[in-house]
Each structure stands twice: as structure tokens, then as C-alpha cells.
Amino acid sequence: MAGTRFAPDRGLSVRMTVTMFLLGLLYVAFMAILIAVGVQAVVVLVIAAGFLLVQYFFSDKIALFAMHGREVSPQEAPELHGIIDRLTAMADMPKPRVAIADSDMPNAFATGRNQKNAVVCVTTGIMRRLDAQELEGVLAHEMSHVAHRDVAVMTIASFLGIVAGLMTRFALYAGLGGRRDSNNGPPIGLIIFLVSALVYAVSFLLTRALSRYRELAADRAGAFLTQRPSALASALVKVSGDIARIPTRDLREAQPFNAFYFTPALSGQSVASLFSTHPSLERRLDQLAKISAALGR
């Protein structure tokens, strides 16, 4: 948050630090167990580290390619650039690159490892459905992700899940067999599979919990920056309602990118909310209503 006028969020900073610390402990324990059972963990670590580096340094390009987005100039999208320019000045931060994805699904996302390498992308669907103030609220939300640096933290946090996922697949491909210990214990492959699956599950839940909180933090920061929480609330209602009318096939194709979206392509209820990347619409609207009342006072 240093160097911007987005409202600081101590809760988000603490949660990002705690999540990274817990994932670090989990990673150390995971590698220790793998080495203890005789796995050559170095190869897996090198492969996973390669994925992390590529994802970290090229996340903006990967996201744009996957979503069929393209960068646009001020001449191509003057209104969109105008909103970004205004928010950039209000937040006192470097202007991110601006992109548009040709998709009827109303959504937006921001990615990039830091403010100088950030890109904010909106779909043609959201530009068509929202008015200027609502779109400004959405873009303020996305730019706050860049200011909070939570996109980079989420990228790093996914590293352990990548390692555990690779090890789980390795164990499955090996048929859960492999050598046994001297006491005729269970197959090494089965041990690897069980430990990797547990580590993946824990890291998955930790990153999803952080993802939900960072969305609430982005709503707060964006609303305080624009001083129009009602515009952001209106955008949330419109986008959430219209996404329900998008063909399921299109939503499933976009689901892997839920963590980066303004609203999720698909969301769950009750117990399934533990696995959601976003808090419920009701919770987000309730928070914005409280901000609106506070600003009114």
C-alpha cells in the first residue's frame, strides 16, 4: 500500500503474512516427510519452482492470453482509459496497462507482480452492462488488488499447491506402489499420495480463505477511494445477476480464473462456500451499506 492513497487494510496485511507463514511451515514439513520416505524431492522442487517463476513473472501475459484479452490504447478505448487515468490520479499510483477481453461474461480482473507490471482487464460484457460510475467502482476494486499486492501473494501462495499436486499425480502414475520399508510397511507411493493430498487440501483452504478476505478488502478500498460505495454495490448486483444467465459451458471455462475475477463465474452455497474464492454477495453488499452509512455521517 506504500505510495498510494488506497485505504490501508491491516487485516489483509496480517492475513497475508499469517497465510504465507503457515504455508511455509506446511511446505517445510511436506519436504521433510518426502525426504524421510526416500523421495528424490529435488526434481519435483525444481519443476514446481519453474512453474512458480513463470507464473510470477509472466502472470499478466498468461492471464490475458487465457482470457483472450488484448491491450488497448487510449484511442481505441478512450472512456475506459479516462476512468483508469482518473483513478490513477486519485490513488497516486502508476497507471496499469489496460486491456479488453471479448467475452459476454460481465467481469474484470487485475494481475501482475507489482504496480509497474500490472494490467487491468475488463470484458466487453461488463462494459456494455454498467454505467460509468459503476464501472469506475469495479475498476477501483481491481486497482486496489494491485495496490494491496495481494495478486503477487496469491501467486506465491499457490506454489505449495503446485508441488503437492505434482507429487499426488506422481504417486498416481506410479500406481501407489513402489518399494516398501524394511518392516514391510505400506508402499512408498501410497504414503506420498496421502501426504500430498493432505498438504494440497490444507494449502487450498488457506488460499481460498485469503482470497475471500482480499475481495472484501478490495471492496472497502475501492469504495473509500471513489466515495461511492453505492455504485460498486449496484455493479455487484448487476454483474451477479447477469452471470447467472451466461451459458454454463462458458462459466466453467472461466472458473479456473475465479480468484482473479471481480465476481466468481460459478459459486457455491453453504458448506461449498468454504471452497469459494469470493464472499457471498449478501456479505459484500452489507459491508458496502455500512461504508455508505459511515460516509453519510
Side-chain angles (χ1 to χ4, degrees):
M1 295 299 291
T4 77
R5 296 197 184 101
F6 277 105
D9 194 303
R10 182 176 177 81
L12 179 61
S13 298
V14 170
R15 282 170 172 79
M16 289 194 294
T17 302
V18 170
T19 299
M20 293 300 293
F21 176 74
L22 292 176
L23 287 174
L25 286 179
L26 193 61
Y27 171 70
V28 171
F30 179 49
M31 297 305 294
I33 292 173
L34 292 181
I35 294 172
V37 298
V39 176
Q40 296 295 324
V42 175
V43 176
V44 177
L45 181 60
V46 169
I47 295 173
F51 276 119
L52 174 65
L53 291 175
V54 170
Q55 187 177 358
Y56 182 75
F57 287 102
F58 300 100
S59 60
D60 51 344
K61 295 179 177 61
I62 293 172
L64 286 180
F65 176 79
M67 290 307 301
H68 309 292
R70 66 180 185 88
E71 292 185 39
V72 293
S73 66
Q75 291 73 30
E76 294 176 288
E79 293 183 5
L80 180 59
H81 269 272
I83 296 175
I84 295 290
D85 286 336
R86 184 164 60 254
L87 290 173
T88 298
M90 292 168 63
D92 191 23
M93 63 184 290
K95 181 180 179 180
R97 305 197 311 278
V98 182
I100 294 177
D102 187 13
S103 171
D104 190 51
M105 184 179 66
N107 232 316
F109 66 89
T111 186
R113 63 185 184 274
N114 53 42
Q115 295 182 25
K116 294 182 179 179
N117 294 278
V119 58
V120 174
C121 181
V122 298
T123 65
T124 52
I126 200 170
M127 293 178 66
R128 185 168 59 253
R129 289 171 172 85
L130 302 186
D131 62 32
Q133 288 190 356
E134 291 167 341
L135 186 58
E136 181 183 68
V138 171
L139 292 173
H141 168 106
E142 295 302 333
M143 290 175 65
S144 76
H145 281 311
V146 177
H148 286 145
R149 298 178 181 175
D150 54 53
V151 176
V153 171
M154 289 293 292
T155 300
I156 297 172
S158 67
F159 173 60
L160 182 58
I162 293 174
V163 176
L166 286 174
M167 291 304 301
T168 303
R169 292 185 181 185
F170 167 76
L172 287 173
Y173 292 152
L176 302 181
R179 64 179 178 83
R180 300 170 183 266
D181 61 25
S182 57
N183 297 318
N184 294 321
I188 296 301
L190 179 60
I191 296 175
I192 296 172
F193 174 77
L194 294 176
V195 173
S196 300
L198 177 62
V199 169
Y200 179 80
V202 173
S203 61
F204 179 85
L205 292 175
L206 284 174
T207 53
R208 288 302 171 99
L210 176 60
S211 179
R212 290 192 295 274
Y213 187 87
R214 80 185 189 111
E215 293 302 327
L216 290 173
D219 284 348
R220 278 194 299 272
F224 278 119
L225 182 71
T226 63
Q227 298 287 292
R228 283 194 289 265
S230 59
L232 180 56
S234 177
L236 274 169
V237 172
K238 281 186 180 180
V239 170
S240 298
D242 284 353
I243 279 182
R245 292 192 283 270
I246 300 296
T248 302
R249 184 186 66 179
D250 296 341
L251 295 179
R252 292 198 182 279
E253 289 178 355
Q255 191 176 15
F257 301 94
N258 267 356
F260 297 100
Y261 279 143
F262 172 61
T263 56
L266 288 174
S267 59
Q269 300 293 331
S270 62
V271 177
S273 63
L274 288 173
F275 307 107
S276 176
T277 56
H278 290 62
S280 66
L281 175 62
E282 291 74 17
R283 185 176 181 187
R284 297 176 75 175
L285 293 178
D286 181 62
Q287 175 181 251
L288 290 171
K290 291 177 180 177
I291 293 174
S292 182
L295 290 175
R297 290 194 296 269

